């Protein structure tokens, strides 16, 4: 069994995928790197095949018809043989020193009695054209250098939540959670992070800046203008998150509190993008979203209606919407996201 399976979904990634691959092959025989060529029409297939031939036993190329980011992860999970599972997007990369320390840490948990369910590390926003790099850390809420449970997790701040870049799940936990992501759907990383969480009881936080999250390409799915064009995809994922887990069945209060806050920030982002688009159709969708939240989770609805972030997305009239968008822009500058 490999220590770590690393899945790299690749779609028309010829111009940048080698950065991700080269940063990961230094893990050597401890890792398997599964390059999932998701129906690319450029040289991605040839590049993936080249790396598989260059690093036999470490890199495997898998070619499939286009199914989207989620389907590439599904394929990776079916083929993964590693004890732990990590997704690295083809336009991102990892820090070498942090990577080697992470692998050494995972080795200490590879025994049958010491296995952890989830390892969390830091990630860095590598924003194109920006001199300032925002590091997303969790040292204010998670114990360091020890196995811990949700009972030891401090309350996350508003707007603070874990992203896929920060997380390494135990592979069989994802299978036990029946994780299956929807095809041809963007923004499924929220489902990947959120839905397996109730199955994770043994956690570990490694305070290293491991993952480098590149943002700034005009065609990137997280580019704001692209997200607005694909708002129905964001709303689909938002709905699936609301439906995936009944939070009233989560008995650990710290875990439930985190999951509720995660849902809240995803819903706020959906609402802000709908407001920012400025179209009557999207303002109608925003009202429909709030009605759906009220139907699925009354507590979340109350938070969105009367809480700080909720009030931000419910300011009345055109002036209110302008204030909402302005506050969102300030958050972008402070946090550094796209």
């Amino acid at each position: 069994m490999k220590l770590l399976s690393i899945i790299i979904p690749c779609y028309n990634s010829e111009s940048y995928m080698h950065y991700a691959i080269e940063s990961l092959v230094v893990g050597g025989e401890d890792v398997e790197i599964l390059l999932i060529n998701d129906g690319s029409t450029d040289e991605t297939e040839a590049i993936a095949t080249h790396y598989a031939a260059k690093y036999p036993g470490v890199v495997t190329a898998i070619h499939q018809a286009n199914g989207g980011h989620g389907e590439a992860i599904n394929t990776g999970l079916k083929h993964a043989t590693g004890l732990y599972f990590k997704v690295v997007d083809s336009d991102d990369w990892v820090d070498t020193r942090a990577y080697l320390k992470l692998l050494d840490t995972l080795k200490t948990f590879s025994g049958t009695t010491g296995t952890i369910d989830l390892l969390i590390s830091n990630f860095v926003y590598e924003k194109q054209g920006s001199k300032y790099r925002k590091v997303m850390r969790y040292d204010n809420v998670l114990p360091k250098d020890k196995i811990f449970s949700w009972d030891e997790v401090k309350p996350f701040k508003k707007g603070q939540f874990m992203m896929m870049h920060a997380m390494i799940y135990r592979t069989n936990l994802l299978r036990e959670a029946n994780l299956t992501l929807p095809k041809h759907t963007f923004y499924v990383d929220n489902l990947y992070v959120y839905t397996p969480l109730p199955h994770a009881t043994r956690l570990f936080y490694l305070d290293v800046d491991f993952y480098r999250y590149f943002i700034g390409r005009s065609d990137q799915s997280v580019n704001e203008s692209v997200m607005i064009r694909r708002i129905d995809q964001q709303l689909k994922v938002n709905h699936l998150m609301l439906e995936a887990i009944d939070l009233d069945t989560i008995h650990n209060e710290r875990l439930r509190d985190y999951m509720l806050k995660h849902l809240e920030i995803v819903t706020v982002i959906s609402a802000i993008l709908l407001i920012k688009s400025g179209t009557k159709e999207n303002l109608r969708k925003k009202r429909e979203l709030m009605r759906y939240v009220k139907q699925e989770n009354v507590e979340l609805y109350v938070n969105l209606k009367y809480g700080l972030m909720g009030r931000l997305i419910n300011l009345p009239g055109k002036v209110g919407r302008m204030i909402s968008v302005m506050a969102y822009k300030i958050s972008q500058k402070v946090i550094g996201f796209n």
Side-chain angles (χ1 to χ4, degrees), residues 158-161 190 234 238 258-271 300 304 309 335:
K158 287 286 187 182
Q160 182 185 28
F161 64 110
N190 279 304
Q234 169 75 11
N238 206 155
Y258 171 77
M259 295 184 74
L260 185 65
K261 286 179 178 175
H262 193 136
L263 262 181
E264 184 177 0
I265 189 62
V266 169
T267 308
V268 166
I269 289 170
S270 297
L300 175 60
L304 290 170
M309 288 196 296
I335 299 175

mmCIF file with all atom_site columns, all heavy atoms in Angstrom, residues 158-161 190 234 238 258-271 300 304 309 335:
data_model
loop_
_atom_site.group_PDB
_atom_site.id
_atom_site.type_symbol
_atom_site.label_atom_id
_atom_site.label_alt_id
_atom_site.label_comp_id
_atom_site.label_asym_id
_atom_site.label_entity_id
_atom_site.label_seq_id
_atom_site.pdbx_PDB_ins_code
_atom_site.Cartn_x
_atom_site.Cartn_y
_atom_site.Cartn_z
_atom_site.occupancy
_atom_site.B_iso_or_equiv
_atom_site.pdbx_formal_charge
_atom_site.auth_seq_id
_atom_site.auth_comp_id
_atom_site.auth_asym_id
_atom_site.auth_atom_id
_atom_site.pdbx_PDB_model_num
ATOM 1   N N   . LYS A 1 158 ? -16.107 33.869 11.934 1.00 0.00 ? 158 LYS A N   1
ATOM 2   C CA  . LYS A 1 158 ? -16.986 34.076 10.789 1.00 0.00 ? 158 LYS A CA  1
ATOM 3   C C   . LYS A 1 158 ? -16.142 34.191 9.524  1.00 0.00 ? 158 LYS A C   1
ATOM 4   O O   . LYS A 1 158 ? -15.159 34.933 9.466  1.00 0.00 ? 158 LYS A O   1
ATOM 5   C CB  . LYS A 1 158 ? -17.804 35.366 10.964 1.00 0.00 ? 158 LYS A CB  1
ATOM 6   C CG  . LYS A 1 158 ? -18.905 35.289 12.000 1.00 0.00 ? 158 LYS A CG  1
ATOM 7   C CD  . LYS A 1 158 ? -20.085 34.461 11.506 1.00 0.00 ? 158 LYS A CD  1
ATOM 8   C CE  . LYS A 1 158 ? -21.254 34.527 12.475 1.00 0.00 ? 158 LYS A CE  1
ATOM 9   N NZ  . LYS A 1 158 ? -22.385 33.695 12.019 1.00 0.00 ? 158 LYS A NZ  1
ATOM 10  N N   . GLY A 1 159 ? -16.511 33.445 8.511  1.00 0.00 ? 159 GLY A N   1
ATOM 11  C CA  . GLY A 1 159 ? -15.779 33.515 7.252  1.00 0.00 ? 159 GLY A CA  1
ATOM 12  C C   . GLY A 1 159 ? -14.560 32.628 7.193  1.00 0.00 ? 159 GLY A C   1
ATOM 13  O O   . GLY A 1 159 ? -13.933 32.491 6.148  1.00 0.00 ? 159 GLY A O   1
ATOM 14  N N   . GLN A 1 160 ? -14.201 31.986 8.320  1.00 0.00 ? 160 GLN A N   1
ATOM 15  C CA  . GLN A 1 160 ? -13.062 31.077 8.337  1.00 0.00 ? 160 GLN A CA  1
ATOM 16  C C   . GLN A 1 160 ? -13.570 29.648 8.166  1.00 0.00 ? 160 GLN A C   1
ATOM 17  O O   . GLN A 1 160 ? -14.449 29.205 8.913  1.00 0.00 ? 160 GLN A O   1
ATOM 18  C CB  . GLN A 1 160 ? -12.286 31.184 9.653  1.00 0.00 ? 160 GLN A CB  1
ATOM 19  C CG  . GLN A 1 160 ? -11.054 30.294 9.719  1.00 0.00 ? 160 GLN A CG  1
ATOM 20  C CD  . GLN A 1 160 ? -10.371 30.330 11.082 1.00 0.00 ? 160 GLN A CD  1
ATOM 21  O OE1 . GLN A 1 160 ? -11.009 30.564 12.103 1.00 0.00 ? 160 GLN A OE1 1
ATOM 22  N NE2 . GLN A 1 160 ? -9.065  30.099 11.093 1.00 0.00 ? 160 GLN A NE2 1
ATOM 23  N N   . PHE A 1 161 ? -13.058 28.948 7.185  1.00 0.00 ? 161 PHE A N   1
ATOM 24  C CA  . PHE A 1 161 ? -13.475 27.567 6.998  1.00 0.00 ? 161 PHE A CA  1
ATOM 25  C C   . PHE A 1 161 ? -12.376 26.807 6.268  1.00 0.00 ? 161 PHE A C   1
ATOM 26  O O   . PHE A 1 161 ? -11.464 27.396 5.706  1.00 0.00 ? 161 PHE A O   1
ATOM 27  C CB  . PHE A 1 161 ? -14.811 27.467 6.242  1.00 0.00 ? 161 PHE A CB  1
ATOM 28  C CG  . PHE A 1 161 ? -14.785 27.996 4.830  1.00 0.00 ? 161 PHE A CG  1
ATOM 29  C CD1 . PHE A 1 161 ? -14.879 27.133 3.754  1.00 0.00 ? 161 PHE A CD1 1
ATOM 30  C CD2 . PHE A 1 161 ? -14.699 29.355 4.569  1.00 0.00 ? 161 PHE A CD2 1
ATOM 31  C CE1 . PHE A 1 161 ? -14.871 27.615 2.443  1.00 0.00 ? 161 PHE A CE1 1
ATOM 32  C CE2 . PHE A 1 161 ? -14.701 29.845 3.271  1.00 0.00 ? 161 PHE A CE2 1
ATOM 33  C CZ  . PHE A 1 161 ? -14.781 28.963 2.214  1.00 0.00 ? 161 PHE A CZ  1
ATOM 34  N N   . ASN A 1 190 ? -16.437 22.041 -2.361 1.00 0.00 ? 190 ASN A N   1
ATOM 35  C CA  . ASN A 1 190 ? -17.180 22.262 -1.113 1.00 0.00 ? 190 ASN A CA  1
ATOM 36  C C   . ASN A 1 190 ? -17.840 20.980 -0.630 1.00 0.00 ? 190 ASN A C   1
ATOM 37  O O   . ASN A 1 190 ? -17.847 20.687 0.573  1.00 0.00 ? 190 ASN A O   1
ATOM 38  C CB  . ASN A 1 190 ? -18.238 23.350 -1.317 1.00 0.00 ? 190 ASN A CB  1
ATOM 39  C CG  . ASN A 1 190 ? -17.647 24.744 -1.222 1.00 0.00 ? 190 ASN A CG  1
ATOM 40  O OD1 . ASN A 1 190 ? -17.032 25.095 -0.225 1.00 0.00 ? 190 ASN A OD1 1
ATOM 41  N ND2 . ASN A 1 190 ? -17.816 25.537 -2.263 1.00 0.00 ? 190 ASN A ND2 1
ATOM 42  N N   . GLN A 1 234 ? -22.870 26.975 -8.824 1.00 0.00 ? 234 GLN A N   1
ATOM 43  C CA  . GLN A 1 234 ? -22.666 27.299 -7.409 1.00 0.00 ? 234 GLN A CA  1
ATOM 44  C C   . GLN A 1 234 ? -23.930 27.010 -6.607 1.00 0.00 ? 234 GLN A C   1
ATOM 45  O O   . GLN A 1 234 ? -23.874 26.440 -5.508 1.00 0.00 ? 234 GLN A O   1
ATOM 46  C CB  . GLN A 1 234 ? -22.268 28.777 -7.271 1.00 0.00 ? 234 GLN A CB  1
ATOM 47  C CG  . GLN A 1 234 ? -22.263 29.331 -5.862 1.00 0.00 ? 234 GLN A CG  1
ATOM 48  C CD  . GLN A 1 234 ? -21.080 28.879 -5.024 1.00 0.00 ? 234 GLN A CD  1
ATOM 49  O OE1 . GLN A 1 234 ? -20.127 28.302 -5.546 1.00 0.00 ? 234 GLN A OE1 1
ATOM 50  N NE2 . GLN A 1 234 ? -21.129 29.132 -3.725 1.00 0.00 ? 234 GLN A NE2 1
ATOM 51  N N   . ASN A 1 238 ? -24.557 24.399 -3.541 1.00 0.00 ? 238 ASN A N   1
ATOM 52  C CA  . ASN A 1 238 ? -25.123 24.947 -2.312 1.00 0.00 ? 238 ASN A CA  1
ATOM 53  C C   . ASN A 1 238 ? -26.333 24.108 -1.876 1.00 0.00 ? 238 ASN A C   1
ATOM 54  O O   . ASN A 1 238 ? -26.467 23.720 -0.704 1.00 0.00 ? 238 ASN A O   1
ATOM 55  C CB  . ASN A 1 238 ? -25.531 26.397 -2.543 1.00 0.00 ? 238 ASN A CB  1
ATOM 56  C CG  . ASN A 1 238 ? -25.529 27.251 -1.283 1.00 0.00 ? 238 ASN A CG  1
ATOM 57  O OD1 . ASN A 1 238 ? -25.386 28.461 -1.337 1.00 0.00 ? 238 ASN A OD1 1
ATOM 58  N ND2 . ASN A 1 238 ? -25.724 26.630 -0.144 1.00 0.00 ? 238 ASN A ND2 1
ATOM 59  N N   . TYR A 1 258 ? -19.184 24.014 13.428 1.00 0.00 ? 258 TYR A N   1
ATOM 60  C CA  . TYR A 1 258 ? -18.322 24.254 12.261 1.00 0.00 ? 258 TYR A CA  1
ATOM 61  C C   . TYR A 1 258 ? -19.098 24.057 10.961 1.00 0.00 ? 258 TYR A C   1
ATOM 62  O O   . TYR A 1 258 ? -19.009 24.878 10.041 1.00 0.00 ? 258 TYR A O   1
ATOM 63  C CB  . TYR A 1 258 ? -17.087 23.343 12.262 1.00 0.00 ? 258 TYR A CB  1
ATOM 64  C CG  . TYR A 1 258 ? -16.363 23.483 10.955 1.00 0.00 ? 258 TYR A CG  1
ATOM 65  C CD1 . TYR A 1 258 ? -15.577 24.602 10.712 1.00 0.00 ? 258 TYR A CD1 1
ATOM 66  C CD2 . TYR A 1 258 ? -16.569 22.587 9.910  1.00 0.00 ? 258 TYR A CD2 1
ATOM 67  C CE1 . TYR A 1 258 ? -14.987 24.805 9.475  1.00 0.00 ? 258 TYR A CE1 1
ATOM 68  C CE2 . TYR A 1 258 ? -15.989 22.783 8.685  1.00 0.00 ? 258 TYR A CE2 1
ATOM 69  C CZ  . TYR A 1 258 ? -15.195 23.897 8.471  1.00 0.00 ? 258 TYR A CZ  1
ATOM 70  O OH  . TYR A 1 258 ? -14.645 24.106 7.233  1.00 0.00 ? 258 TYR A OH  1
ATOM 71  N N   . MET A 1 259 ? -19.845 22.964 10.878 1.00 0.00 ? 259 MET A N   1
ATOM 72  C CA  . MET A 1 259 ? -20.544 22.669 9.637  1.00 0.00 ? 259 MET A CA  1
ATOM 73  C C   . MET A 1 259 ? -21.613 23.713 9.324  1.00 0.00 ? 259 MET A C   1
ATOM 74  O O   . MET A 1 259 ? -21.825 24.073 8.157  1.00 0.00 ? 259 MET A O   1
ATOM 75  C CB  . MET A 1 259 ? -21.150 21.260 9.708  1.00 0.00 ? 259 MET A CB  1
ATOM 76  C CG  . MET A 1 259 ? -20.089 20.172 9.788  1.00 0.00 ? 259 MET A CG  1
ATOM 77  S SD  . MET A 1 259 ? -20.748 18.490 9.760  1.00 0.00 ? 259 MET A SD  1
ATOM 78  C CE  . MET A 1 259 ? -21.217 18.337 8.028  1.00 0.00 ? 259 MET A CE  1
ATOM 79  N N   . LEU A 1 260 ? -22.267 24.218 10.357 1.00 0.00 ? 260 LEU A N   1
ATOM 80  C CA  . LEU A 1 260 ? -23.257 25.278 10.156 1.00 0.00 ? 260 LEU A CA  1
ATOM 81  C C   . LEU A 1 260 ? -22.586 26.544 9.625  1.00 0.00 ? 260 LEU A C   1
ATOM 82  O O   . LEU A 1 260 ? -23.095 27.194 8.699  1.00 0.00 ? 260 LEU A O   1
ATOM 83  C CB  . LEU A 1 260 ? -23.979 25.566 11.466 1.00 0.00 ? 260 LEU A CB  1
ATOM 84  C CG  . LEU A 1 260 ? -25.128 26.572 11.389 1.00 0.00 ? 260 LEU A CG  1
ATOM 85  C CD1 . LEU A 1 260 ? -26.267 26.043 10.532 1.00 0.00 ? 260 LEU A CD1 1
ATOM 86  C CD2 . LEU A 1 260 ? -25.640 26.910 12.804 1.00 0.00 ? 260 LEU A CD2 1
ATOM 87  N N   . LYS A 1 261 ? -21.425 26.891 10.171 1.00 0.00 ? 261 LYS A N   1
ATOM 88  C CA  . LYS A 1 261 ? -20.704 28.084 9.709  1.00 0.00 ? 261 LYS A CA  1
ATOM 89  C C   . LYS A 1 261 ? -20.191 27.905 8.283  1.00 0.00 ? 261 LYS A C   1
ATOM 90  O O   . LYS A 1 261 ? -20.173 28.863 7.501  1.00 0.00 ? 261 LYS A O   1
ATOM 91  C CB  . LYS A 1 261 ? -19.554 28.403 10.666 1.00 0.00 ? 261 LYS A CB  1
ATOM 92  C CG  . LYS A 1 261 ? -20.009 29.005 11.989 1.00 0.00 ? 261 LYS A CG  1
ATOM 93  C CD  . LYS A 1 261 ? -18.835 29.272 12.913 1.00 0.00 ? 261 LYS A CD  1
ATOM 94  C CE  . LYS A 1 261 ? -19.320 29.918 14.211 1.00 0.00 ? 261 LYS A CE  1
ATOM 95  N NZ  . LYS A 1 261 ? -18.214 30.096 15.186 1.00 0.00 ? 261 LYS A NZ  1
ATOM 96  N N   . HIS A 1 262 ? -19.772 26.685 7.953  1.00 0.00 ? 262 HIS A N   1
ATOM 97  C CA  . HIS A 1 262 ? -19.317 26.418 6.588  1.00 0.00 ? 262 HIS A CA  1
ATOM 98  C C   . HIS A 1 262 ? -20.472 26.607 5.603  1.00 0.00 ? 262 HIS A C   1
ATOM 99  O O   . HIS A 1 262 ? -20.321 27.242 4.554  1.00 0.00 ? 262 HIS A O   1
ATOM 100 C CB  . HIS A 1 262 ? -18.757 25.000 6.508  1.00 0.00 ? 262 HIS A CB  1
ATOM 101 C CG  . HIS A 1 262 ? -17.985 24.717 5.258  1.00 0.00 ? 262 HIS A CG  1
ATOM 102 N ND1 . HIS A 1 262 ? -16.791 24.048 5.251  1.00 0.00 ? 262 HIS A ND1 1
ATOM 103 C CD2 . HIS A 1 262 ? -18.227 25.010 3.950  1.00 0.00 ? 262 HIS A CD2 1
ATOM 104 C CE1 . HIS A 1 262 ? -16.336 23.955 4.004  1.00 0.00 ? 262 HIS A CE1 1
ATOM 105 N NE2 . HIS A 1 262 ? -17.208 24.516 3.199  1.00 0.00 ? 262 HIS A NE2 1
ATOM 106 N N   . LEU A 1 263 ? -21.617 26.056 5.949  1.00 0.00 ? 263 LEU A N   1
ATOM 107 C CA  . LEU A 1 263 ? -22.805 26.242 5.116  1.00 0.00 ? 263 LEU A CA  1
ATOM 108 C C   . LEU A 1 263 ? -23.144 27.723 4.964  1.00 0.00 ? 263 LEU A C   1
ATOM 109 O O   . LEU A 1 263 ? -23.532 28.184 3.882  1.00 0.00 ? 263 LEU A O   1
ATOM 110 C CB  . LEU A 1 263 ? -23.999 25.527 5.749  1.00 0.00 ? 263 LEU A CB  1
ATOM 111 C CG  . LEU A 1 263 ? -24.371 24.142 5.247  1.00 0.00 ? 263 LEU A CG  1
ATOM 112 C CD1 . LEU A 1 263 ? -25.602 23.642 5.988  1.00 0.00 ? 263 LEU A CD1 1
ATOM 113 C CD2 . LEU A 1 263 ? -24.633 24.153 3.753  1.00 0.00 ? 263 LEU A CD2 1
ATOM 114 N N   . GLU A 1 264 ? -22.993 28.459 6.050  1.00 0.00 ? 264 GLU A N   1
ATOM 115 C CA  . GLU A 1 264 ? -23.343 29.878 6.035  1.00 0.00 ? 264 GLU A CA  1
ATOM 116 C C   . GLU A 1 264 ? -22.461 30.657 5.059  1.00 0.00 ? 264 GLU A C   1
ATOM 117 O O   . GLU A 1 264 ? -22.960 31.443 4.252  1.00 0.00 ? 264 GLU A O   1
ATOM 118 C CB  . GLU A 1 264 ? -23.218 30.466 7.443  1.00 0.00 ? 264 GLU A CB  1
ATOM 119 C CG  . GLU A 1 264 ? -23.656 31.921 7.532  1.00 0.00 ? 264 GLU A CG  1
ATOM 120 C CD  . GLU A 1 264 ? -23.602 32.455 8.952  1.00 0.00 ? 264 GLU A CD  1
ATOM 121 O OE1 . GLU A 1 264 ? -23.216 31.702 9.876  1.00 0.00 ? 264 GLU A OE1 1
ATOM 122 O OE2 . GLU A 1 264 ? -23.943 33.638 9.153  1.00 0.00 ? 264 GLU A OE2 1
ATOM 123 N N   . ILE A 1 265 ? -21.145 30.424 5.101  1.00 0.00 ? 265 ILE A N   1
ATOM 124 C CA  . ILE A 1 265 ? -20.258 31.196 4.241  1.00 0.00 ? 265 ILE A CA  1
ATOM 125 C C   . ILE A 1 265 ? -20.464 30.833 2.779  1.00 0.00 ? 265 ILE A C   1
ATOM 126 O O   . ILE A 1 265 ? -20.447 31.701 1.891  1.00 0.00 ? 265 ILE A O   1
ATOM 127 C CB  . ILE A 1 265 ? -18.775 31.040 4.661  1.00 0.00 ? 265 ILE A CB  1
ATOM 128 C CG1 . ILE A 1 265 ? -17.882 32.033 3.883  1.00 0.00 ? 265 ILE A CG1 1
ATOM 129 C CG2 . ILE A 1 265 ? -18.290 29.625 4.455  1.00 0.00 ? 265 ILE A CG2 1
ATOM 130 C CD1 . ILE A 1 265 ? -18.187 33.476 4.133  1.00 0.00 ? 265 ILE A CD1 1
ATOM 131 N N   . VAL A 1 266 ? -20.722 29.553 2.479  1.00 0.00 ? 266 VAL A N   1
ATOM 132 C CA  . VAL A 1 266 ? -20.983 29.150 1.096  1.00 0.00 ? 266 VAL A CA  1
ATOM 133 C C   . VAL A 1 266 ? -22.259 29.810 0.592  1.00 0.00 ? 266 VAL A C   1
ATOM 134 O O   . VAL A 1 266 ? -22.328 30.289 -0.545 1.00 0.00 ? 266 VAL A O   1
ATOM 135 C CB  . VAL A 1 266 ? -21.070 27.612 0.982  1.00 0.00 ? 266 VAL A CB  1
ATOM 136 C CG1 . VAL A 1 266 ? -21.602 27.206 -0.389 1.00 0.00 ? 266 VAL A CG1 1
ATOM 137 C CG2 . VAL A 1 266 ? -19.700 26.993 1.220  1.00 0.00 ? 266 VAL A CG2 1
ATOM 138 N N   . THR A 1 267 ? -23.279 29.872 1.441  1.00 0.00 ? 267 THR A N   1
ATOM 139 C CA  . THR A 1 267 ? -24.548 30.485 1.047  1.00 0.00 ? 267 THR A CA  1
ATOM 140 C C   . THR A 1 267 ? -24.406 31.989 0.885  1.00 0.00 ? 267 THR A C   1
ATOM 141 O O   . THR A 1 267 ? -24.995 32.584 -0.032 1.00 0.00 ? 267 THR A O   1
ATOM 142 C CB  . THR A 1 267 ? -25.641 30.153 2.080  1.00 0.00 ? 267 THR A CB  1
ATOM 143 O OG1 . THR A 1 267 ? -25.691 28.742 2.295  1.00 0.00 ? 267 THR A OG1 1
ATOM 144 C CG2 . THR A 1 267 ? -27.005 30.624 1.597  1.00 0.00 ? 267 THR A CG2 1
ATOM 145 N N   . VAL A 1 268 ? -23.614 32.616 1.741  1.00 0.00 ? 268 VAL A N   1
ATOM 146 C CA  . VAL A 1 268 ? -23.363 34.057 1.607  1.00 0.00 ? 268 VAL A CA  1
ATOM 147 C C   . VAL A 1 268 ? -22.659 34.347 0.283  1.00 0.00 ? 268 VAL A C   1
ATOM 148 O O   . VAL A 1 268 ? -23.004 35.309 -0.420 1.00 0.00 ? 268 VAL A O   1
ATOM 149 C CB  . VAL A 1 268 ? -22.536 34.581 2.799  1.00 0.00 ? 268 VAL A CB  1
ATOM 150 C CG1 . VAL A 1 268 ? -21.977 35.975 2.506  1.00 0.00 ? 268 VAL A CG1 1
ATOM 151 C CG2 . VAL A 1 268 ? -23.399 34.627 4.055  1.00 0.00 ? 268 VAL A CG2 1
ATOM 152 N N   . ILE A 1 269 ? -21.681 33.526 -0.078 1.00 0.00 ? 269 ILE A N   1
ATOM 153 C CA  . ILE A 1 269 ? -20.986 33.715 -1.354 1.00 0.00 ? 269 ILE A CA  1
ATOM 154 C C   . ILE A 1 269 ? -21.970 33.585 -2.516 1.00 0.00 ? 269 ILE A C   1
ATOM 155 O O   . ILE A 1 269 ? -21.955 34.396 -3.454 1.00 0.00 ? 269 ILE A O   1
ATOM 156 C CB  . ILE A 1 269 ? -19.831 32.706 -1.494 1.00 0.00 ? 269 ILE A CB  1
ATOM 157 C CG1 . ILE A 1 269 ? -18.697 33.062 -0.520 1.00 0.00 ? 269 ILE A CG1 1
ATOM 158 C CG2 . ILE A 1 269 ? -19.294 32.679 -2.925 1.00 0.00 ? 269 ILE A CG2 1
ATOM 159 C CD1 . ILE A 1 269 ? -17.626 32.000 -0.403 1.00 0.00 ? 269 ILE A CD1 1
ATOM 160 N N   . SER A 1 270 ? -22.842 32.582 -2.457 1.00 0.00 ? 270 SER A N   1
ATOM 161 C CA  . SER A 1 270 ? -23.859 32.419 -3.505 1.00 0.00 ? 270 SER A CA  1
ATOM 162 C C   . SER A 1 270 ? -24.707 33.683 -3.612 1.00 0.00 ? 270 SER A C   1
ATOM 163 O O   . SER A 1 270 ? -24.947 34.199 -4.716 1.00 0.00 ? 270 SER A O   1
ATOM 164 C CB  . SER A 1 270 ? -24.762 31.223 -3.200 1.00 0.00 ? 270 SER A CB  1
ATOM 165 O OG  . SER A 1 270 ? -24.049 30.017 -3.183 1.00 0.00 ? 270 SER A OG  1
ATOM 166 N N   . ALA A 1 271 ? -25.175 34.172 -2.467 1.00 0.00 ? 271 ALA A N   1
ATOM 167 C CA  . ALA A 1 271 ? -26.060 35.340 -2.462 1.00 0.00 ? 271 ALA A CA  1
ATOM 168 C C   . ALA A 1 271 ? -25.352 36.591 -2.966 1.00 0.00 ? 271 ALA A C   1
ATOM 169 O O   . ALA A 1 271 ? -25.919 37.372 -3.743 1.00 0.00 ? 271 ALA A O   1
ATOM 170 C CB  . ALA A 1 271 ? -26.606 35.567 -1.052 1.00 0.00 ? 271 ALA A CB  1
ATOM 171 N N   . LEU A 1 300 ? -29.999 27.945 10.036 1.00 0.00 ? 300 LEU A N   1
ATOM 172 C CA  . LEU A 1 300 ? -29.172 28.660 9.069  1.00 0.00 ? 300 LEU A CA  1
ATOM 173 C C   . LEU A 1 300 ? -29.919 29.866 8.528  1.00 0.00 ? 300 LEU A C   1
ATOM 174 O O   . LEU A 1 300 ? -29.338 30.947 8.367  1.00 0.00 ? 300 LEU A O   1
ATOM 175 C CB  . LEU A 1 300 ? -28.769 27.726 7.926  1.00 0.00 ? 300 LEU A CB  1
ATOM 176 C CG  . LEU A 1 300 ? -27.988 28.353 6.771  1.00 0.00 ? 300 LEU A CG  1
ATOM 177 C CD1 . LEU A 1 300 ? -26.665 28.949 7.261  1.00 0.00 ? 300 LEU A CD1 1
ATOM 178 C CD2 . LEU A 1 300 ? -27.734 27.326 5.668  1.00 0.00 ? 300 LEU A CD2 1
ATOM 179 N N   . LEU A 1 304 ? -28.751 33.741 8.616  1.00 0.00 ? 304 LEU A N   1
ATOM 180 C CA  . LEU A 1 304 ? -28.623 34.540 7.397  1.00 0.00 ? 304 LEU A CA  1
ATOM 181 C C   . LEU A 1 304 ? -29.534 35.759 7.416  1.00 0.00 ? 304 LEU A C   1
ATOM 182 O O   . LEU A 1 304 ? -29.244 36.771 6.776  1.00 0.00 ? 304 LEU A O   1
ATOM 183 C CB  . LEU A 1 304 ? -28.943 33.678 6.172  1.00 0.00 ? 304 LEU A CB  1
ATOM 184 C CG  . LEU A 1 304 ? -27.910 32.594 5.841  1.00 0.00 ? 304 LEU A CG  1
ATOM 185 C CD1 . LEU A 1 304 ? -28.453 31.659 4.777  1.00 0.00 ? 304 LEU A CD1 1
ATOM 186 C CD2 . LEU A 1 304 ? -26.603 33.212 5.377  1.00 0.00 ? 304 LEU A CD2 1
ATOM 187 N N   . MET A 1 309 ? -23.258 38.437 8.812  1.00 0.00 ? 309 MET A N   1
ATOM 188 C CA  . MET A 1 309 ? -23.108 38.192 7.378  1.00 0.00 ? 309 MET A CA  1
ATOM 189 C C   . MET A 1 309 ? -24.458 38.152 6.683  1.00 0.00 ? 309 MET A C   1
ATOM 190 O O   . MET A 1 309 ? -24.607 38.595 5.540  1.00 0.00 ? 309 MET A O   1
ATOM 191 C CB  . MET A 1 309 ? -22.344 36.894 7.139  1.00 0.00 ? 309 MET A CB  1
ATOM 192 C CG  . MET A 1 309 ? -20.869 36.988 7.461  1.00 0.00 ? 309 MET A CG  1
ATOM 193 S SD  . MET A 1 309 ? -19.899 35.637 6.746  1.00 0.00 ? 309 MET A SD  1
ATOM 194 C CE  . MET A 1 309 ? -20.588 34.224 7.595  1.00 0.00 ? 309 MET A CE  1
ATOM 195 N N   . ILE A 1 335 ? -8.852  39.129 2.878  1.00 0.00 ? 335 ILE A N   1
ATOM 196 C CA  . ILE A 1 335 ? -8.573  37.700 2.848  1.00 0.00 ? 335 ILE A CA  1
ATOM 197 C C   . ILE A 1 335 ? -7.650  37.326 1.705  1.00 0.00 ? 335 ILE A C   1
ATOM 198 O O   . ILE A 1 335 ? -6.839  36.408 1.801  1.00 0.00 ? 335 ILE A O   1
ATOM 199 C CB  . ILE A 1 335 ? -9.894  36.898 2.778  1.00 0.00 ? 335 ILE A CB  1
ATOM 200 C CG1 . ILE A 1 335 ? -10.744 37.196 4.032  1.00 0.00 ? 335 ILE A CG1 1
ATOM 201 C CG2 . ILE A 1 335 ? -9.647  35.410 2.668  1.00 0.00 ? 335 ILE A CG2 1
ATOM 202 C CD1 . ILE A 1 335 ? -12.114 36.556 4.016  1.00 0.00 ? 335 ILE A CD1 1
#
